[in-house]
Amino acid sequence: RHKNDTGTLKDSVAVSLRFLYGMPFVLALVYLFLEAVAHNQVFRGLSPSLIFSSYVQCVILLAHGFVTNALMGLMNFPGRNNALLLPYFLQVVVLVPLWFLHRYLNTLQAMYLYNIATVIAVGYALVVLKRKHGVVYHWKLPENWVTQYVHYGLKSCLSNLAQQLNYRLDALIVNALLSNAATGLYSNAVSMAELVLFIPSSIAAVLQPKIAGATEKERATLPGLMMGTAFSLSAVGLVGSLIVMPWFIPWFYGKPYAGAVAPSLWLLPGMMGLAVTKVLTALMSGLGKPQVSAYATLSGLCATIVLDYALIPRFGIVGAAWASSIAYWWSALTVLILYRVHTKDSITSLIVASV
C-alpha cells in the first residue's frame, strides 16, 4: 500500500493491535501448558521469578516487533533502526559503568534491564509513529479484515516458520548424526558464512515495503536494480571472506575451532543463492505473494534433508556444508521459477537487468 494511504494505515494498525493485545493471553496459556506437561524439560532449575520475567520479555518483544515492523512498512528506516538499536545502547550505558566498578548483574537482573530498555524503545517508536506518521491507535476492524489482512498474515507466518526451520535443520541433523563437538564447529561455520548476508538482508528489508507502494515504472526497474546490487556486493563479501576466514576463525575463536574453516568456506557459495532467495521473496511478499517464500523454503528444506543424510555420514560437517549450499541454490531456482510464473517476466530479462 502507498505510505500516504491513511485509511489503509489505520486499518493495518487496528488489525495488528487487536492481535497484539490478545497474544499475552495466548502466551500465558503456552507457559501454563509447558509448566503442567513439560516442566522438567523446559523450566528445570529456573526460579518462578525468572520464568515470569521470560514471559514478560516475550510480551515486550511482541510489542517491539509491532512498532519496528510498522516503521519499516512506512519506510521510516532511520526510526526503525533507532528502535532496534536503542535497547542495546541503553544496556551498554548501564553495563559499562558497572563493569568498571566490578559490579555484575545476575541473570534475573540482566533480564530486567533488557525488558526496561526494550520498553523504552517501544515508547520511542510509538511516539514517532504518532507524531511523524499520524498513526491512530484504535480497535475498530475494517470489514474485509479476514480476507485482506489475516490471510496474508497466515501466509507470511508459514513462510517465517519454514525459513527458521530451514536455517537450523542442518545443525540439528549434524547433531543427530555426528557429535556435539561437530555441531559446535558447524554452527560456528554457519555464523561466519552468514556475515555475507548482511547486505542482501538489508536490501530485502527495504524492498518489501518499497515495491508494495511503487508505481508501475518503479516495479519494472526495482527487481533488477535490487538483485544486481545484492548479488554484486555479496560477491565482494564472499571474496573477502575467502581471504579472511582461514586465519580469522582460528585467531578469534582459538585453534580448536580451526575445523570450522573448511565448512565455512564451502558454505559461502550457498550464501549467494540465499541472497537471491532473500531479495526475490521480499519482492514477491511486497507484491502480495508471501507464499512464494514458503514454497521456495520448503523445496530447499526437502533438498537439505536428502543431501544431509547422503553426505554427512561420509564427509562430516564438510558434507553438511555441501548439502546446505546446494539446497540454498535449489531454493533460489525455485523462487526464480515462481517469480516467472507470478510476474510473467522472463528470468533472462531479470538476470540481464541485474547485470
Side-chain angles (χ1 to χ4, degrees):
R1 299 288 180 162
H2 195 275
K3 62 181 179 181
N4 293 325
D5 188 344
T6 55
T8 301
L9 178 61
K10 289 176 65 177
D11 292 345
S12 300
V13 171
V15 174
S16 299
L17 284 179
R18 184 66 68 92
F19 279 90
L20 186 66
Y21 290 151
M23 283 307 297
F25 300 101
V26 175
L27 283 170
L29 292 176
V30 170
Y31 268 72
L32 290 173
F33 174 80
L34 292 174
E35 171 67 24
V37 175
H39 175 83
N40 290 333
Q41 290 78 17
V42 180
F43 298 133
R44 182 175 55 192
L46 300 179
S47 65
S49 56
L50 197 60
I51 296 171
F52 179 75
S53 182
S54 73
Y55 164 76
V56 172
Q57 188 172 100
C58 288
V59 175
I60 294 171
L61 287 175
L62 279 171
H64 190 250
F66 163 68
V67 294
T68 53
N69 282 314
L71 289 168
M72 184 175 73
L74 292 164
M75 289 183 281
N76 184 347
F77 298 108
R80 172 181 176 267
N81 292 339
N82 291 339
L84 287 172
L85 294 174
L86 188 57
Y88 303 103
F89 172 76
L90 294 174
Q91 289 177 85
V92 169
V93 169
V94 174
L95 291 174
V96 169
L98 291 176
W99 181 71
F100 277 108
L101 295 171
H102 300 287
R103 301 287 298 274
Y104 304 102
L105 303 181
N106 59 36
T107 304
L108 187 59
Q109 291 169 336
M111 291 185 72
Y112 285 157
L113 174 60
Y114 181 84
N115 290 346
I116 293 170
T118 308
V119 166
I120 294 173
V122 171
Y124 159 80
L126 289 173
V127 171
V128 172
L129 287 168
K130 178 70 175 178
R131 292 186 177 180
K132 188 169 183 178
H133 301 284
V135 170
V136 178
Y137 304 108
H138 69 104
W139 283 80
K140 187 177 180 181
L141 294 174
E143 293 181 358
N144 60 345
W145 67 278
V146 174
T147 57
Q148 199 162 8
Y149 291 91
V150 177
H151 286 181
Y152 182 91
L154 290 174
K155 294 174 184 177
S156 297
C157 182
L158 175 62
S159 171
N160 290 335
L161 289 172
Q163 285 180 6
Q164 291 300 316
L165 183 59
N166 193 33
Y167 291 162
R168 299 293 171 256
L169 182 63
D170 50 355
L172 295 174
I173 295 177
V174 167
N175 188 57
L177 296 180
L178 299 177
S179 63
N180 291 338
T183 305
L185 290 174
Y186 185 73
S187 298
N188 178 271
V190 171
S191 64
M192 293 301 299
E194 286 180 344
L195 294 175
V196 176
L197 295 177
F198 275 126
I199 292 174
S201 296
S202 301
I203 290 174
V206 174
L207 179 59
Q208 183 172 343
K210 178 67 176 177
I211 199 74
T215 63
E216 289 299 321
K217 183 178 180 181
E218 289 174 328
R219 289 189 177 189
T221 58
L222 275 173
L225 175 64
M226 294 297 196
M227 180 66 69
T229 303
F231 200 84
S232 58
L233 293 179
S234 297
V236 173
L238 183 147
V239 173
S241 297
L242 287 173
I243 297 171
V244 172
M245 280 186 184
W247 63 266
F248 178 80
I249 292 177
W251 171 78
F252 187 78
Y253 292 100
K255 289 183 179 180
Y257 281 88
V261 172
S264 68
L265 296 179
W266 282 110
L267 281 165
L268 289 174
M271 294 301 116
M272 300 300 293
L274 200 52
V276 173
T277 302
K278 279 183 172 291
V279 173
L280 283 184
T281 52
L283 170 70
M284 297 308 299
S285 293
L287 294 175
K289 303 291 182 181
Q291 66 270 28
V292 168
S293 176
Y295 299 152
T297 304
L298 290 173
S299 72
L301 196 64
C302 295
T304 297
I305 295 171
V306 173
L307 292 169
D308 274 349
Y309 279 98
L311 297 174
I312 290 176
R314 185 175 179 183
F315 300 103
I317 58 176
V318 172
W322 294 345
S324 293
S325 284
I326 295 170
Y328 290 151
W329 274 106
W330 181 256
S331 291
L333 178 62
T334 303
V335 77
L336 280 168
I337 294 172
L338 292 173
Y339 170 83
R340 171 72 179 86
V341 170
H342 287 289
T343 65
K344 309 304 180 185
D345 294 336
S346 70
I347 298 175
T348 303
S349 64
L350 175 64
I351 295 173
V352 170
S354 300
V355 174

